[in-house]
Amino acid sequence: MATTAIDTAGSMDQATLDALRVSVAGVLAEQSGSTEVHAFIDGKNSLDRELWSRAASLGWLGFGVPEQYGGLGLGAYGLAILHTELGRQAAPGPYIATLSAAQAIVEIGPAAARTAWLPRIASGEISAAIPATPGAVSLTWSGAGVSGALRCLGARDAAFVLAPAGDAWVIVELAGSRVSATPMWDRTREVIDIRLQDAKPSAILEDREGTSLALVRAMALATAADSCGGARSVTERTIAYMKTRAQFGQPIAGFQALKHRAADLATKLAVMDEMVAHAVHRTAADEPDADIWASLAKAEVTETFVFIATDCVQLHGGVGFTWDYDPQIFLKRARLNEVLVMANTALRDRAAAGLAAVTRAGRSALELGL
């Protein structure tokens, strides 16, 4: 069986994690299947809200939240399971934004902010918004409050935004603010524009660099895990389709050239899984090199997801790009994942800078693979 993003569980109980994955996968397969996702994209159901409510009732939104704040405290492993399975079903909703904001607050937020926001996130009462590309644009901060415009990942009804402002990061409640949806090719997630004018922060996270690192790492891991699930799902669906579509009197899955392409996809899936597994393991172990691996995982995995989804469109033949089939949904999701957080070239530059710091500190680069 192929390795998945959480096969290396460290000190956590693997049987429990496996059972959790089966449970999450079962619910999502039942509620967010192909028919339901297509209907949601066509505006015929409210799958995003229904699924959010179900996720809240099952405790999924508290996977990364410590127990003292109403969560389950499953950390990076639990979040990897959830994001992978959400990606597998192309499930709609503001999960990456909300759960990444929660992780940043867990790691860097002051006690008052943790108490105020984490229980509400874990219960599903609220969702959050975060910059789609953290650090690209900053709010201005004057004595009157914070002002400016941000393009964010999150829902239009998000309760707050976690955003950079001056030398800090701030949590700003969005009630009464100007929030508008931005047309986006991926209709399973929302990208929103937020405009603030002298808004009073409800919390200030003074460690700007620490907050940025925590948020980027959480977003990178979430996006990479989502991409792993999506890539595996679109591959499996495409191979199943190839077994039923016939040309020249036989299923196209029997053609040698297409077998080679399918084998290439399987190889790429294995590499994706291992990249995410290593990044998750380093993060869960609180290793100093976790940021390097999260950056590399996001860059490599999202680009591979685009390649796989594109190839699956082609392997469907003339119908692969059409609205009625699944590959176009996953390709659009892959393209959004690719541009989230920051450009993949920039993430690789960050990883290279981290490697340089390791070697300057007198450590061997081989230690990064332990």
Side-chain angles (χ1 to χ4, degrees), residues 96-326:
I96 291 178
T98 302
L99 301 183
S100 297
Q103 284 304 107
I105 294 171
V106 167
E107 292 187 35
I108 303 295
R114 296 179 188 179
T115 301
W117 297 110
L118 294 180
R120 299 177 69 189
I121 289 174
S123 68
E125 177 188 345
I126 61 170
S127 67
I130 55 176
T133 52
V137 179
S138 180
L139 299 174
T140 59
W141 195 352
S142 65
V146 294
S147 303
L150 287 174
R151 177 151 292 178
C152 293
L153 186 67
R156 279 169 288 182
D157 60 354
F160 70 87
V161 61
L162 174 62
D167 294 328
W169 280 68
V170 295
I171 295 175
V172 180
E173 296 187 56
L174 294 176
S177 300
R178 294 173 58 190
V179 179
S180 58
T182 299
M184 186 58 54
W185 57 88
D186 175 15
R187 301 197 183 185
T188 64
R189 275 89 58 91
E190 278 191 289
V191 174
I192 57 177
D193 285 330
I194 297 173
R195 297 184 181 277
L196 302 173
Q197 183 63 44
D198 296 332
K200 299 292 184 183
S202 66
I204 301 171
L205 286 67
E206 298 286 359
D207 185 355
R208 192 184 198 285
E209 182 63 19
T211 304
S212 179
L213 287 174
L215 183 61
V216 167
R217 182 170 61 251
M219 286 184 72
L221 290 175
T223 305
D226 182 275
S227 297
C228 275
R232 185 166 295 280
S233 183
V234 72
T235 300
E236 291 172 351
R237 298 180 195 205
T238 299
I239 291 174
Y241 173 78
M242 291 167 63
K243 292 177 180 178
T244 62
R245 182 184 175 188
Q247 286 285 356
F248 309 110
Q250 63 176 307
I252 63 173
F255 297 160
Q256 187 175 24
L258 298 188
K259 284 183 179 180
H260 289 168
R261 286 173 67 175
D264 184 47
L265 296 183
T267 301
K268 292 182 183 297
L269 288 173
V271 173
M272 292 173 72
D273 287 336
E274 290 301 331
M275 287 289 295
V276 175
H278 196 74
V280 169
H281 179 66
R282 304 294 280 199
T283 300
D286 198 24
E287 295 286 345
D289 308 319
D291 290 318
I292 294 176
W293 287 106
S295 295
L296 289 174
K298 189 273 173 182
E300 178 68 25
V301 169
T302 57
E303 288 178 3
T304 306
F305 185 18
V306 170
F307 176 91
I308 288 175
T310 301
D311 206 37
C312 287
V313 168
Q314 295 178 2
L315 288 170
H316 270 70
V319 299
F321 68 92
T322 60
W323 196 259
D324 291 340
Y325 286 79
D326 292 340

